[in-house]
Amino acid sequence: HASGTYCARDGTGGSNGATMRFKPECDDGANAGLDFARSKLEKIKEKYPSISYADLWILASYVAIEEMGGPKIEFKGGRSDANDGTACPAVGRLPDAALGADHVRDVFYRMGFNDQEIVALVGGGHAIGRCHPDRSGFDGPWTRAPTTISNEFFKRLF
């Protein structure tokens, strides 16, 4: 979700800065429950204090993708951390399916993606993981194998 705030036009938002640690971004409804995931990475940050939160979050996502059977992605560090919430992008930059397809397209177009890339990201994002009612208000996995990258989300959708 940190990357999902990026704006290709002006370069704001995104993972650089790791601003999801601060208000108002951490309180954005689309980020509900992600404090739990961020807290899981704190032990690694304590062990390796020289890595920025921004790099740690990206590296963790690369490792997760690889562990779920996805491709190995070369990691390139160098992201920096913001000092406070003044660097947070405006709330509302993340996709909200309840607002319809045009909204979702607008969000991903802002990041520089085309329709094919949007389908891959939305489908891939929903093929992995699960929802937790105590964190996001939603319950259950999107697929029967939420720790494996597959096209099952699309099979179930259609």
Side-chain angles (χ1 to χ4, degrees):
H1 280 213
S3 296
T5 62
Y6 180 68
C7 178
R9 183 179 31 81
D10 62 16
T12 60
S15 294
N16 198 37
T19 54
M20 199 187 332
R21 297 171 294 141
F22 306 115
K23 293 180 186 242
E25 191 173 350
C26 66
D27 291 337
D28 186 319
N31 289 329
L34 293 181
D35 55 334
F36 180 81
R38 290 190 306 270
S39 71
K40 292 287 188 185
L41 294 173
E42 280 302 317
K43 289 181 185 177
I44 297 169
K45 177 68 172 156
E46 289 171 11
K47 187 172 180 177
Y48 301 98
S50 63
I51 190 171
S52 67
Y53 280 102
D55 275 347
L56 176 60
W57 295 352
I58 295 297
L59 179 58
S61 70
Y62 288 5
V63 170
I65 289 167
E66 187 175 348
E67 287 296 312
M68 289 184 285
K72 182 171 179 62
I73 303 168
E74 181 184 351
F75 176 74
K76 295 179 182 175
R79 293 164 196 84
S80 60
D81 291 336
N83 294 320
D84 57 43
T86 59
C88 288
V91 171
R93 283 192 173 187
L94 294 170
D96 182 344
L99 298 178
D102 287 340
H103 163 76
V104 172
R105 275 191 166 127
D106 288 344
V107 166
F108 282 93
Y109 289 163
R110 185 199 68 237
M111 290 185 269
F113 294 108
N114 64 35
D115 285 342
Q116 291 84 0
E117 293 164 330
I118 294 169
V119 169
L121 286 167
V122 170
H126 287 94
I128 57 175
R130 63 174 293 121
C131 299
H132 301 271
D134 62 323
R135 298 179 202 147
S136 68
F138 297 97
D139 186 22
W142 295 98
T143 68
R144 291 170 290 167
T147 59
T148 305
I149 295 174
S150 72
N151 67 348
E152 186 184 354
F153 173 76
F154 293 111
K155 288 180 178 179
R156 293 177 141 230
L157 183 66
F158 298 116

